[in-house]
Amino acid sequence: ETFAVLFMDLDQFKGVNDTLGHSLGDQLLMAVGKRLKEAVRSSDTVARFGGDEFAILLSGSSDENSARKVAEKIQGVVGLPFRLREREVHISASIGIATNLISYESPDDLLRDADLAMYHAKGLGKARSEMFRIDMRERAFSRHAVEEELRAGLKNREFQLYYQPIKSLKSDRIVGLEALLRWLHPTRGLLLPADFLPVAEESGLILPIGDWVLDQACRQLKTWQEQHPYLQNMTVSVNLSNKQFTDPNFVEKVAKALSASGLTGPSLRLEITERVLVGNYLTANHAVAALHDLGVQMQIDDFGTGYSALAYLQEFPIHAIKIDKSFIHRMDTDPKGLGLVRAVVSMGRELGMETIAEGIETAAQLNELKGLSCGFGQGFLLAKPMSAISAEKMLAKLGA
Ligand code: C2E
Ligand code: CA
Ligand code: CA
């Protein structure tokens, strides 16, 4: 007989656990289990697979269509609000479906395919179901291959940092450099973060890679400062991903990178997005305060794209906000775009934060920003990201 397996993973479980605590997280899992059992027939089997993953075996001539219908029903019941200790919690689920219409050698293989389909559902935006297809195995393989190559790349020192100048719009002088990761791949050439960061983040490899970035950026700026005393006030900005920021050893790693290189705290700036900051409220509070004590300054990256509530700006010691390039690009064409940038610049001024406009590409944008008294800017018009060798040449000329 045909049967189907649904592999389900809750989309926001980690967030619930982090913000509401493990005991509410456990209650949520139990409540989900109960709804699942009520949603299927008594001849079907519901199992908790581990963590926030559930597997459901639909037996008795379950073809693809009926499996899809059950998956939809499950999405429906999981999507209804849960009441846990006076709180209303909303979640969704991603579901992968595999049936034995493909012949399998072992139950593990079928579960693996259902899991792959679930991953695919997550990749397509979560809160949905996907039926397994053979080509999903190839994708999984290529993700695995990139992961292996990343590991080798780290060992073989294939990563590089490029540096993009950040300029004062008042004095036109370079005040800082943003370190941007590049991968000189042995066969595919120079790769941009978009080509490999998603795999690095998913696999956790972003942790060792991020450690390298932090160390390298500190060492490099310190070397330049030693060569050219006029670079004492130059800063280097390092981008952080969610996993790095929530790494319990993160603050210690920053302290080590500073002491190993001899760079002073105020020369280092860390860029994080609003989502990362607000999404990890408790850890963030502790980490940001400890970094502040080291003299390291925090910048909000891609400001305006992630979060609608602004209260967090008051609660964390934030030094600068980087206005996302999408707003800068809209400035020339859309009067509302200009209004938005003006509002952000004046908000920054009120809150005592610097504002850095990202992605400046045209002279018109630059002039508008100067007119708004936006303090700092970055973008292809001012300077492109460049290799360490080119950056070194450029910095050497600044003293002349
Ligand atoms: P981001 O932090 O917003 O960095 C700025 C990106 O905008 C860079 O892309 C830069 O090359 C690009 N850019 C600069 N000026 C202009 C401009 O005028 N117009 C346009 N259209 N783009 C401009 P890149 O280097 O490809 O980096 C992409 C993203 O990857 C970064 O966005 C950052 O989120 C992430 N990233 C880069 N390096 C690291 C790293 O070391 N660690 C982590 N975790 N993420 C990194
Ligand atoms: Ca950045
Ligand atoms: Ca940015």
Side-chain angles (χ1 to χ4, degrees), residues 242-275:
N242 187 40
K243 283 220 171 101
Q244 287 173 276
F245 191 65
T246 52
D247 171 3
N249 299 321
F250 179 66
V251 176
E252 198 184 316
K253 284 175 175 173
V254 174
K256 271 200 189 132
L258 289 173
S259 66
S261 61
L263 193 74
T264 64
S267 302
L268 177 64
R269 296 190 168 190
L270 298 175
E271 298 196 353
I272 53 172
T273 61
E274 308 165 86
R275 222 186 286 274

Side-chain angles (χ1 to χ4, degrees), residues 3 59 88 157 168 187 221 227 231 247-248 331 350 376:
F3 60 86
S59 48
E88 205 165 88
R157 300 170 179 272
S168 157
T187 55
L221 179 60
Q227 288 167 355
L231 297 178
D247 171 3
M331 230 166 58
E350 293 289 329
F376 302 89

Side-chain angles (χ1 to χ4, degrees), residues 178-180 237-240 270-273 299-302 322 325 358 378:
E178 178 173 4
L180 296 164
S237 305
V238 169
N239 290 287
L240 297 181
L270 298 175
E271 298 196 353
I272 53 172
T273 61
Q299 300 187 159
I300 299 298
D301 208 351
D302 306 340
K322 300 190 79 172
K325 46 180 171 286
E358 288 193 291
Q378 184 180 352

Side-chain angles (χ1 to χ4, degrees), residues 183-381:
W183 180 11
L184 189 57
H185 189 277
T187 55
R188 291 194 288 156
L190 194 68
L191 302 181
L192 294 170
D195 302 322
F196 59 89
L197 266 190
V199 178
E201 282 175 7
E202 228 173 88
S203 62
L205 281 168
I206 189 64
L207 282 179
I209 295 173
D211 293 348
W212 176 82
V213 171
L214 191 61
D215 274 325
Q216 180 64 21
C218 291
R219 260 177 232 283
Q220 180 65 84
L221 179 60
K222 180 65 186 178
T223 306
W224 287 334
Q225 287 181 336
E226 280 173 350
Q227 288 167 355
H228 309 293
Y230 54 83
L231 297 178
Q232 278 326 304
N233 295 325
M234 181 71 55
T235 61
V236 67
S237 305
V238 169
N239 290 287
L240 297 181
S241 75
N242 187 40
K243 283 220 171 101
Q244 287 173 276
F245 191 65
T246 52
D247 171 3
N249 299 321
F250 179 66
V251 176
E252 198 184 316
K253 284 175 175 173
V254 174
K256 271 200 189 132
L258 289 173
S259 66
S261 61
L263 193 74
T264 64
S267 302
L268 177 64
R269 296 190 168 190
L270 298 175
E271 298 196 353
I272 53 172
T273 61
E274 308 165 86
R275 222 186 286 274
V276 171
L277 189 67
V278 179
N280 303 288
Y281 207 80
L282 295 176
T283 0
N285 244 322
H286 169 75
V288 174
L291 292 166
H292 191 70
D293 290 343
L294 289 173
V296 174
Q297 287 167 335
M298 305 295 294
Q299 300 187 159
I300 299 298
D301 208 351
D302 306 340
F303 183 80
T305 59
Y307 210 74
S308 49
L310 293 173
Y312 75 95
L313 285 175
Q314 247 182 324
E315 297 184 31
F316 295 103
I318 288 158
H319 186 77
I321 43 191
K322 300 190 79 172
I323 309 171
D324 190 65
K325 46 180 171 286
S326 58
F327 296 103
I328 307 302
H329 295 169
R330 245 174 279 154
M331 230 166 58
D332 320 10
T333 49
D334 178 355
K336 279 194 189 149
L338 180 63
L340 250 166
V341 174
R342 179 186 295 125
V344 175
V345 171
S346 70
M347 180 191 72
R349 193 175 302 125
E350 293 289 329
L351 296 176
M353 294 170 193
E354 287 177 357
T355 41
I356 305 170
E358 288 193 291
I360 305 175
E361 289 179 356
T362 67
Q365 291 161 357
L366 180 62
N367 284 333
E368 300 274 24
L369 287 162
K370 284 184 175 171
L372 299 177
S373 302
C374 176
F376 302 89
Q378 184 180 352
F380 294 158
L381 179 77

